[in-house]
Amino acid sequence: DHEAYLGNTLMEVAGEKAGIIKPDVPVVATGGQQEVVEVIEKTAAERNSPLYLLGRDFRYSGASNDNWSWSGAVAGADITIDNLKCSMRGAYQRENASLVIAVLELLKCAGFTVSSDDLHEGLATVIWPGRLEHLVLKRESRQQITQINVPGEDVVHYLLDGAHNPAGMKNLALTLAEEYTYRKLIVVWGAMIDKDIAAGLSSIVPLADTLILTRPEGERSAEPEQLAACLHGSAADNVVLVRNVEAALKKAEECATSEDLIVVAGSLYLVGAVRKLLVGELVEK
């Protein structure tokens, strides 16, 4: 993202991101590819900032967000925290939560403490609107209900996710394959023109039974025709162009039964607009 400002290579982007490192202040990071780690390590060393990396200084284990463990020695003795649960979907949330736990462990050294009960409860109940947010609404009234499956109730299932770059779209596609069941997948998708549209679409198109391309408000928004031009061959089948977001959402609802799933993704601007239509609230961009 934002290559015009951050650079066109991993090392350039890592160098800009590492600019946030403050002298003598601990740094917690995922690390990632070796060239990225080297840039972060170099900057941290120059600023005398202790560096704690996921996979080296702390780690997580467990195959499910519903039961996993964290272990590490970022604040002294090596400890293990078991029976953790993430309320938010997506395997990458265990990675995100692991960073949070490492930070909380470091904060203990500064006199800030979070009890084990509060940690477990926080992870199990935290909500991030527009990030793999599953909404179940009655079809006619759009009244939100908490039960995922209500026998005999005519409902529409929505999954709102602010995935707007290739990595985010890959994570969305992986989460759909591993954690959700549905009869048909209807995707409402819009993006900013400065994003890698083709790479983003390539992850979700193979899963979509119907792809509705639309345009969220904003001067950087791509037109549906521009999005469609990034599709090739059979990927262009079952594609509908609806420029207006509200009309695109209505089209998706017309295609969906109670057994189907409507995914809204590609841009936080789009997710925010749709969430306002559905529940009257925006999401932070």
mmCIF file of all heavy atoms in Angstrom, residues 158-200:
data_model
loop_
_atom_site.group_PDB
_atom_site.id
_atom_site.type_symbol
_atom_site.label_atom_id
_atom_site.label_comp_id
_atom_site.label_asym_id
_atom_site.label_seq_id
_atom_site.Cartn_x
_atom_site.Cartn_y
_atom_site.Cartn_z
ATOM 1 N N TYR A 158 -24.224 -11.464 6.006
ATOM 2 C CA TYR A 158 -23.224 -10.558 5.428
ATOM 3 C C TYR A 158 -21.899 -10.761 6.152
ATOM 4 O O TYR A 158 -21.858 -10.945 7.362
ATOM 5 C CB TYR A 158 -23.631 -9.094 5.598
ATOM 6 C CG TYR A 158 -25.009 -8.727 5.132
ATOM 7 C CD1 TYR A 158 -26.110 -8.920 5.975
ATOM 8 C CD2 TYR A 158 -25.235 -8.174 3.878
ATOM 9 C CE1 TYR A 158 -27.384 -8.569 5.573
ATOM 10 C CE2 TYR A 158 -26.507 -7.817 3.463
ATOM 11 C CZ TYR A 158 -27.581 -8.021 4.315
ATOM 12 O OH TYR A 158 -28.848 -7.671 3.924
ATOM 13 N N LEU A 159 -20.819 -10.697 5.409
ATOM 14 C CA LEU A 159 -19.483 -10.691 6.003
ATOM 15 C C LEU A 159 -18.767 -9.453 5.477
ATOM 16 O O LEU A 159 -18.469 -9.352 4.287
ATOM 17 C CB LEU A 159 -18.703 -11.949 5.635
ATOM 18 C CG LEU A 159 -17.348 -12.121 6.331
ATOM 19 C CD1 LEU A 159 -17.534 -12.305 7.829
ATOM 20 C CD2 LEU A 159 -16.565 -13.294 5.751
ATOM 21 N N LEU A 160 -18.504 -8.492 6.366
ATOM 22 C CA LEU A 160 -17.855 -7.248 5.983
ATOM 23 C C LEU A 160 -16.375 -7.327 6.356
ATOM 24 O O LEU A 160 -16.033 -7.588 7.506
ATOM 25 C CB LEU A 160 -18.498 -6.055 6.703
ATOM 26 C CG LEU A 160 -20.027 -5.952 6.663
ATOM 27 C CD1 LEU A 160 -20.482 -4.668 7.343
ATOM 28 C CD2 LEU A 160 -20.554 -6.023 5.236
ATOM 29 N N ASP A 161 -15.518 -7.098 5.368
ATOM 30 C CA ASP A 161 -14.088 -7.169 5.656
ATOM 31 C C ASP A 161 -13.345 -6.088 4.875
ATOM 32 O O ASP A 161 -13.485 -5.979 3.659
ATOM 33 C CB ASP A 161 -13.516 -8.540 5.311
ATOM 34 C CG ASP A 161 -12.099 -8.705 5.837
ATOM 35 O OD1 ASP A 161 -11.882 -8.436 7.031
ATOM 36 O OD2 ASP A 161 -11.205 -9.090 5.067
ATOM 37 N N GLY A 162 -12.571 -5.299 5.591
ATOM 38 C CA GLY A 162 -11.852 -4.190 4.977
ATOM 39 C C GLY A 162 -10.619 -4.597 4.198
ATOM 40 O O GLY A 162 -9.732 -3.760 3.986
ATOM 41 N N ALA A 163 -10.540 -5.853 3.769
ATOM 42 C CA ALA A 163 -9.398 -6.295 2.972
ATOM 43 C C ALA A 163 -9.307 -5.452 1.699
ATOM 44 O O ALA A 163 -10.232 -5.421 0.905
ATOM 45 C CB ALA A 163 -9.547 -7.780 2.621
ATOM 46 N N HIS A 164 -8.172 -4.768 1.502
ATOM 47 C CA HIS A 164 -8.058 -3.876 0.353
ATOM 48 C C HIS A 164 -6.709 -3.990 -0.359
ATOM 49 O O HIS A 164 -6.412 -3.198 -1.246
ATOM 50 C CB HIS A 164 -8.276 -2.422 0.799
ATOM 51 C CG HIS A 164 -7.338 -1.988 1.881
ATOM 52 N ND1 HIS A 164 -7.603 -2.209 3.212
ATOM 53 C CD2 HIS A 164 -6.142 -1.349 1.839
ATOM 54 C CE1 HIS A 164 -6.611 -1.720 3.942
ATOM 55 N NE2 HIS A 164 -5.707 -1.206 3.131
ATOM 56 N N ASN A 165 -5.901 -4.970 0.026
ATOM 57 C CA ASN A 165 -4.656 -5.210 -0.694
ATOM 58 C C ASN A 165 -4.502 -6.720 -0.917
ATOM 59 O O ASN A 165 -5.270 -7.512 -0.364
ATOM 60 C CB ASN A 165 -3.461 -4.625 0.073
ATOM 61 C CG ASN A 165 -3.350 -5.161 1.492
ATOM 62 O OD1 ASN A 165 -3.700 -6.311 1.766
ATOM 63 N ND2 ASN A 165 -2.869 -4.340 2.413
ATOM 64 N N PRO A 166 -3.553 -7.144 -1.739
ATOM 65 C CA PRO A 166 -3.426 -8.586 -2.049
ATOM 66 C C PRO A 166 -3.298 -9.466 -0.815
ATOM 67 O O PRO A 166 -3.920 -10.531 -0.751
ATOM 68 C CB PRO A 166 -2.168 -8.634 -2.919
ATOM 69 C CG PRO A 166 -2.143 -7.305 -3.608
ATOM 70 C CD PRO A 166 -2.644 -6.319 -2.568
ATOM 71 N N ALA A 167 -2.507 -9.053 0.178
ATOM 72 C CA ALA A 167 -2.343 -9.872 1.386
ATOM 73 C C ALA A 167 -3.654 -9.994 2.135
ATOM 74 O O ALA A 167 -4.022 -11.074 2.609
ATOM 75 C CB ALA A 167 -1.263 -9.263 2.285
ATOM 76 N N GLY A 168 -4.378 -8.884 2.257
ATOM 77 C CA GLY A 168 -5.667 -8.921 2.943
ATOM 78 C C GLY A 168 -6.673 -9.787 2.230
ATOM 79 O O GLY A 168 -7.438 -10.533 2.857
ATOM 80 N N MET A 169 -6.697 -9.710 0.894
ATOM 81 C CA MET A 169 -7.631 -10.524 0.129
ATOM 82 C C MET A 169 -7.283 -12.012 0.225
ATOM 83 O O MET A 169 -8.167 -12.869 0.274
ATOM 84 C CB MET A 169 -7.651 -10.076 -1.329
ATOM 85 C CG MET A 169 -8.197 -8.659 -1.534
ATOM 86 S SD MET A 169 -9.894 -8.431 -0.937
ATOM 87 C CE MET A 169 -10.796 -9.464 -2.106
ATOM 88 N N LYS A 170 -5.984 -12.325 0.265
ATOM 89 C CA LYS A 170 -5.577 -13.726 0.433
ATOM 90 C C LYS A 170 -6.036 -14.253 1.785
ATOM 91 O O LYS A 170 -6.523 -15.390 1.898
ATOM 92 C CB LYS A 170 -4.060 -13.862 0.287
ATOM 93 C CG LYS A 170 -3.557 -13.753 -1.137
ATOM 94 C CD LYS A 170 -2.051 -13.935 -1.206
ATOM 95 C CE LYS A 170 -1.543 -13.822 -2.643
ATOM 96 N NZ LYS A 170 -0.060 -13.957 -2.716
ATOM 97 N N ASN A 171 -5.886 -13.433 2.829
ATOM 98 C CA ASN A 171 -6.335 -13.844 4.157
ATOM 99 C C ASN A 171 -7.847 -14.020 4.194
ATOM 100 O O ASN A 171 -8.363 -14.944 4.833
ATOM 101 C CB ASN A 171 -5.914 -12.804 5.202
ATOM 102 C CG ASN A 171 -4.466 -12.953 5.631
ATOM 103 O OD1 ASN A 171 -3.941 -14.054 5.701
ATOM 104 N ND2 ASN A 171 -3.811 -11.846 5.914
ATOM 105 N N LEU A 172 -8.568 -13.141 3.518
ATOM 106 C CA LEU A 172 -10.018 -13.267 3.443
ATOM 107 C C LEU A 172 -10.406 -14.562 2.755
ATOM 108 O O LEU A 172 -11.272 -15.300 3.240
ATOM 109 C CB LEU A 172 -10.604 -12.068 2.700
ATOM 110 C CG LEU A 172 -12.105 -12.144 2.363
ATOM 111 C CD1 LEU A 172 -12.953 -12.309 3.616
ATOM 112 C CD2 LEU A 172 -12.532 -10.907 1.574
ATOM 113 N N ALA A 173 -9.781 -14.846 1.618
ATOM 114 C CA ALA A 173 -10.099 -16.069 0.876
ATOM 115 C C ALA A 173 -9.793 -17.314 1.709
ATOM 116 O O ALA A 173 -10.578 -18.272 1.730
ATOM 117 C CB ALA A 173 -9.310 -16.108 -0.432
ATOM 118 N N LEU A 174 -8.669 -17.293 2.421
ATOM 119 C CA LEU A 174 -8.290 -18.436 3.259
ATOM 120 C C LEU A 174 -9.289 -18.621 4.392
ATOM 121 O O LEU A 174 -9.700 -19.745 4.704
ATOM 122 C CB LEU A 174 -6.881 -18.213 3.826
ATOM 123 C CG LEU A 174 -6.327 -19.324 4.715
ATOM 124 C CD1 LEU A 174 -6.169 -20.608 3.927
ATOM 125 C CD2 LEU A 174 -4.978 -18.898 5.303
ATOM 126 N N THR A 175 -9.705 -17.518 5.003
ATOM 127 C CA THR A 175 -10.676 -17.595 6.096
ATOM 128 C C THR A 175 -12.018 -18.103 5.607
ATOM 129 O O THR A 175 -12.671 -18.906 6.279
ATOM 130 C CB THR A 175 -10.839 -16.212 6.757
ATOM 131 O OG1 THR A 175 -9.561 -15.759 7.220
ATOM 132 C CG2 THR A 175 -11.797 -16.284 7.934
ATOM 133 N N LEU A 176 -12.448 -17.662 4.437
ATOM 134 C CA LEU A 176 -13.707 -18.150 3.864
ATOM 135 C C LEU A 176 -13.648 -19.664 3.655
ATOM 136 O O LEU A 176 -14.611 -20.383 3.938
ATOM 137 C CB LEU A 176 -13.989 -17.451 2.539
ATOM 138 C CG LEU A 176 -14.480 -16.008 2.622
ATOM 139 C CD1 LEU A 176 -14.467 -15.358 1.241
ATOM 140 C CD2 LEU A 176 -15.884 -15.949 3.214
ATOM 141 N N ALA A 177 -12.514 -20.133 3.152
ATOM 142 C CA ALA A 177 -12.374 -21.566 2.868
ATOM 143 C C ALA A 177 -12.321 -22.407 4.139
ATOM 144 O O ALA A 177 -12.838 -23.531 4.172
ATOM 145 C CB ALA A 177 -11.116 -21.810 2.028
ATOM 146 N N GLU A 178 -11.719 -21.862 5.199
ATOM 147 C CA GLU A 178 -11.482 -22.661 6.399
ATOM 148 C C GLU A 178 -12.547 -22.498 7.475
ATOM 149 O O GLU A 178 -12.766 -23.414 8.269
ATOM 150 C CB GLU A 178 -10.120 -22.299 6.991
ATOM 151 C CG GLU A 178 -8.928 -22.704 6.130
ATOM 152 C CD GLU A 178 -7.603 -22.404 6.802
ATOM 153 O OE1 GLU A 178 -7.603 -21.657 7.807
ATOM 154 O OE2 GLU A 178 -6.566 -22.918 6.324
ATOM 155 N N GLU A 179 -13.224 -21.355 7.518
ATOM 156 C CA GLU A 179 -14.060 -21.071 8.687
ATOM 157 C C GLU A 179 -15.529 -20.790 8.372
ATOM 158 O O GLU A 179 -16.317 -20.618 9.307
ATOM 159 C CB GLU A 179 -13.473 -19.870 9.450
ATOM 160 C CG GLU A 179 -12.052 -20.113 9.945
ATOM 161 C CD GLU A 179 -11.547 -18.998 10.853
ATOM 162 O OE1 GLU A 179 -12.387 -18.346 11.505
ATOM 163 O OE2 GLU A 179 -10.322 -18.779 10.896
ATOM 164 N N TYR A 180 -15.907 -20.754 7.101
ATOM 165 C CA TYR A 180 -17.293 -20.433 6.776
ATOM 166 C C TYR A 180 -17.879 -21.482 5.845
ATOM 167 O O TYR A 180 -17.191 -22.047 4.991
ATOM 168 C CB TYR A 180 -17.390 -19.047 6.122
ATOM 169 C CG TYR A 180 -17.144 -17.919 7.091
ATOM 170 C CD1 TYR A 180 -15.845 -17.460 7.332
ATOM 171 C CD2 TYR A 180 -18.180 -17.331 7.808
ATOM 172 C CE1 TYR A 180 -15.595 -16.443 8.242
ATOM 173 C CE2 TYR A 180 -17.944 -16.313 8.721
ATOM 174 C CZ TYR A 180 -16.652 -15.877 8.930
ATOM 175 O OH TYR A 180 -16.415 -14.878 9.830
ATOM 176 N N THR A 181 -19.171 -21.722 6.031
ATOM 177 C CA THR A 181 -19.905 -22.618 5.140
ATOM 178 C C THR A 181 -21.078 -21.839 4.556
ATOM 179 O O THR A 181 -21.707 -21.031 5.235
ATOM 180 C CB THR A 181 -20.424 -23.854 5.885
ATOM 181 O OG1 THR A 181 -21.260 -23.440 6.981
ATOM 182 C CG2 THR A 181 -19.277 -24.694 6.417
ATOM 183 N N TYR A 182 -21.367 -22.079 3.308
ATOM 184 C CA TYR A 182 -22.445 -21.385 2.611
ATOM 185 C C TYR A 182 -22.775 -22.161 1.340
ATOM 186 O O TYR A 182 -21.979 -22.979 0.862
ATOM 187 C CB TYR A 182 -22.028 -19.946 2.263
ATOM 188 C CG TYR A 182 -20.635 -19.849 1.676
ATOM 189 C CD1 TYR A 182 -20.388 -20.098 0.331
ATOM 190 C CD2 TYR A 182 -19.546 -19.525 2.495
ATOM 191 C CE1 TYR A 182 -19.115 -20.025 -0.194
ATOM 192 C CE2 TYR A 182 -18.265 -19.454 1.981
ATOM 193 C CZ TYR A 182 -18.054 -19.700 0.629
ATOM 194 O OH TYR A 182 -16.780 -19.634 0.123
ATOM 195 N N ARG A 183 -23.954 -21.891 0.799
ATOM 196 C CA ARG A 183 -24.348 -22.522 -0.462
ATOM 197 C C ARG A 183 -23.742 -21.763 -1.640
ATOM 198 O O ARG A 183 -23.096 -22.345 -2.493
ATOM 199 C CB ARG A 183 -25.869 -22.572 -0.584
ATOM 200 C CG ARG A 183 -26.391 -23.386 -1.780
ATOM 201 C CD ARG A 183 -27.914 -23.440 -1.764
ATOM 202 N NE ARG A 183 -28.489 -22.114 -1.979
ATOM 203 C CZ ARG A 183 -28.804 -21.621 -3.180
ATOM 204 N NH1 ARG A 183 -28.597 -22.339 -4.265
ATOM 205 N NH2 ARG A 183 -29.329 -20.418 -3.289
ATOM 206 N N LYS A 184 -23.961 -20.467 -1.677
ATOM 207 C CA LYS A 184 -23.373 -19.614 -2.707
ATOM 208 C C LYS A 184 -22.679 -18.422 -2.051
ATOM 209 O O LYS A 184 -23.095 -17.960 -0.996
ATOM 210 C CB LYS A 184 -24.440 -19.093 -3.672
ATOM 211 C CG LYS A 184 -25.058 -20.116 -4.586
ATOM 212 C CD LYS A 184 -25.880 -19.442 -5.690
ATOM 213 C CE LYS A 184 -26.922 -18.492 -5.126
ATOM 214 N NZ LYS A 184 -27.747 -17.843 -6.185
ATOM 215 N N LEU A 185 -21.646 -17.937 -2.710
ATOM 216 C CA LEU A 185 -20.931 -16.761 -2.245
ATOM 217 C C LEU A 185 -21.168 -15.612 -3.224
ATOM 218 O O LEU A 185 -20.850 -15.720 -4.409
ATOM 219 C CB LEU A 185 -19.432 -17.039 -2.138
ATOM 220 C CG LEU A 185 -18.588 -15.905 -1.543
ATOM 221 C CD1 LEU A 185 -18.891 -15.743 -0.065
ATOM 222 C CD2 LEU A 185 -17.090 -16.176 -1.745
ATOM 223 N N ILE A 186 -21.772 -14.550 -2.705
ATOM 224 C CA ILE A 186 -21.989 -13.347 -3.506
ATOM 225 C C ILE A 186 -21.043 -12.278 -2.982
ATOM 226 O O ILE A 186 -21.061 -11.958 -1.791
ATOM 227 C CB ILE A 186 -23.452 -12.857 -3.421
ATOM 228 C CG1 ILE A 186 -24.396 -13.925 -3.978
ATOM 229 C CG2 ILE A 186 -23.641 -11.560 -4.170
ATOM 230 C CD1 ILE A 186 -25.125 -14.704 -2.927
ATOM 231 N N VAL A 187 -20.210 -11.750 -3.857
ATOM 232 C CA VAL A 187 -19.192 -10.777 -3.444
ATOM 233 C C VAL A 187 -19.521 -9.409 -4.014
ATOM 234 O O VAL A 187 -19.724 -9.258 -5.219
ATOM 235 C CB VAL A 187 -17.788 -11.211 -3.906
ATOM 236 C CG1 VAL A 187 -16.756 -10.148 -3.522
ATOM 237 C CG2 VAL A 187 -17.418 -12.555 -3.299
ATOM 238 N N VAL A 188 -19.577 -8.415 -3.126
ATOM 239 C CA VAL A 188 -19.686 -7.010 -3.534
ATOM 240 C C VAL A 188 -18.312 -6.401 -3.333
ATOM 241 O O VAL A 188 -17.786 -6.399 -2.217
ATOM 242 C CB VAL A 188 -20.748 -6.259 -2.700
ATOM 243 C CG1 VAL A 188 -20.838 -4.806 -3.154
ATOM 244 C CG2 VAL A 188 -22.102 -6.945 -2.819
ATOM 245 N N TRP A 189 -17.735 -5.885 -4.412
ATOM 246 C CA TRP A 189 -16.325 -5.492 -4.360
ATOM 247 C C TRP A 189 -16.122 -4.130 -5.006
ATOM 248 O O TRP A 189 -16.668 -3.837 -6.074
ATOM 249 C CB TRP A 189 -15.483 -6.530 -5.087
ATOM 250 C CG TRP A 189 -14.057 -6.660 -4.613
ATOM 251 C CD1 TRP A 189 -13.603 -7.399 -3.572
ATOM 252 C CD2 TRP A 189 -12.908 -6.039 -5.191
ATOM 253 N NE1 TRP A 189 -12.242 -7.288 -3.451
ATOM 254 C CE2 TRP A 189 -11.788 -6.460 -4.441
ATOM 255 C CE3 TRP A 189 -12.714 -5.175 -6.261
ATOM 256 C CZ2 TRP A 189 -10.500 -6.047 -4.728
ATOM 257 C CZ3 TRP A 189 -11.422 -4.751 -6.547
ATOM 258 C CH2 TRP A 189 -10.325 -5.198 -5.786
ATOM 259 N N GLY A 190 -15.344 -3.275 -4.344
ATOM 260 C CA GLY A 190 -14.951 -1.980 -4.889
ATOM 261 C C GLY A 190 -13.563 -1.655 -4.377
ATOM 262 O O GLY A 190 -13.139 -2.180 -3.351
ATOM 263 N N ALA A 191 -12.839 -0.802 -5.088
ATOM 264 C CA ALA A 191 -11.459 -0.529 -4.692
ATOM 265 C C ALA A 191 -11.032 0.860 -5.132
ATOM 266 O O ALA A 191 -11.651 1.477 -6.001
ATOM 267 C CB ALA A 191 -10.519 -1.574 -5.291
ATOM 268 N N MET A 192 -9.949 1.324 -4.537
ATOM 269 C CA MET A 192 -9.320 2.565 -4.966
ATOM 270 C C MET A 192 -8.449 2.277 -6.186
ATOM 271 O O MET A 192 -7.851 1.205 -6.296
ATOM 272 C CB MET A 192 -8.472 3.163 -3.845
ATOM 273 C CG MET A 192 -9.239 3.494 -2.563
ATOM 274 S SD MET A 192 -10.489 4.793 -2.761
ATOM 275 C CE MET A 192 -12.009 3.794 -2.767
ATOM 276 N N ILE A 193 -8.374 3.222 -7.084
ATOM 277 C CA ILE A 193 -7.673 3.012 -8.347
ATOM 278 C C ILE A 193 -6.178 2.804 -8.155
ATOM 279 O O ILE A 193 -5.499 2.202 -9.000
ATOM 280 C CB ILE A 193 -7.923 4.205 -9.306
ATOM 281 C CG1 ILE A 193 -7.456 3.873 -10.730
ATOM 282 C CG2 ILE A 193 -7.257 5.470 -8.787
ATOM 283 C CD1 ILE A 193 -8.194 2.720 -11.369
ATOM 284 N N ASP A 194 -5.613 3.276 -7.010
ATOM 285 C CA ASP A 194 -4.175 3.144 -6.797
ATOM 286 C C ASP A 194 -3.784 1.829 -6.121
ATOM 287 O O ASP A 194 -2.623 1.635 -5.765
ATOM 288 C CB ASP A 194 -3.644 4.326 -5.983
ATOM 289 C CG ASP A 194 -4.354 4.500 -4.642
ATOM 290 O OD1 ASP A 194 -5.353 3.799 -4.401
ATOM 291 O OD2 ASP A 194 -3.908 5.345 -3.844
ATOM 292 N N LYS A 195 -4.744 0.910 -5.954
ATOM 293 C CA LYS A 195 -4.439 -0.394 -5.369
ATOM 294 C C LYS A 195 -4.092 -1.406 -6.460
ATOM 295 O O LYS A 195 -4.342 -1.182 -7.653
ATOM 296 C CB LYS A 195 -5.635 -0.906 -4.561
ATOM 297 C CG LYS A 195 -6.055 0.009 -3.412
ATOM 298 C CD LYS A 195 -4.953 0.190 -2.393
ATOM 299 C CE LYS A 195 -5.405 1.090 -1.252
ATOM 300 N NZ LYS A 195 -4.335 1.324 -0.267
ATOM 301 N N ASP A 196 -3.517 -2.532 -6.043
ATOM 302 C CA ASP A 196 -3.222 -3.625 -6.981
ATOM 303 C C ASP A 196 -4.509 -4.414 -7.181
ATOM 304 O O ASP A 196 -4.744 -5.444 -6.545
ATOM 305 C CB ASP A 196 -2.111 -4.516 -6.420
ATOM 306 C CG ASP A 196 -1.582 -5.505 -7.458
ATOM 307 O OD1 ASP A 196 -2.288 -5.734 -8.463
ATOM 308 O OD2 ASP A 196 -0.494 -6.049 -7.246
ATOM 309 N N ILE A 197 -5.360 -3.909 -8.072
ATOM 310 C CA ILE A 197 -6.711 -4.448 -8.241
ATOM 311 C C ILE A 197 -6.682 -5.891 -8.729
ATOM 312 O O ILE A 197 -7.389 -6.759 -8.207
ATOM 313 C CB ILE A 197 -7.514 -3.558 -9.205
ATOM 314 C CG1 ILE A 197 -7.716 -2.171 -8.581
ATOM 315 C CG2 ILE A 197 -8.861 -4.189 -9.546
ATOM 316 C CD1 ILE A 197 -8.286 -1.145 -9.535
ATOM 317 N N ALA A 198 -5.870 -6.162 -9.744
ATOM 318 C CA ALA A 198 -5.836 -7.504 -10.332
ATOM 319 C C ALA A 198 -5.421 -8.549 -9.307
ATOM 320 O O ALA A 198 -6.026 -9.628 -9.214
ATOM 321 C CB ALA A 198 -4.881 -7.525 -11.520
ATOM 322 N N ALA A 199 -4.397 -8.242 -8.512
ATOM 323 C CA ALA A 199 -3.932 -9.200 -7.501
ATOM 324 C C ALA A 199 -4.982 -9.405 -6.418
ATOM 325 O O ALA A 199 -5.187 -10.527 -5.946
ATOM 326 C CB ALA A 199 -2.618 -8.721 -6.887
ATOM 327 N N GLY A 200 -5.650 -8.336 -6.031
ATOM 328 C CA GLY A 200 -6.686 -8.462 -5.008
ATOM 329 C C GLY A 200 -7.847 -9.310 -5.479
ATOM 330 O O GLY A 200 -8.318 -10.210 -4.770
#
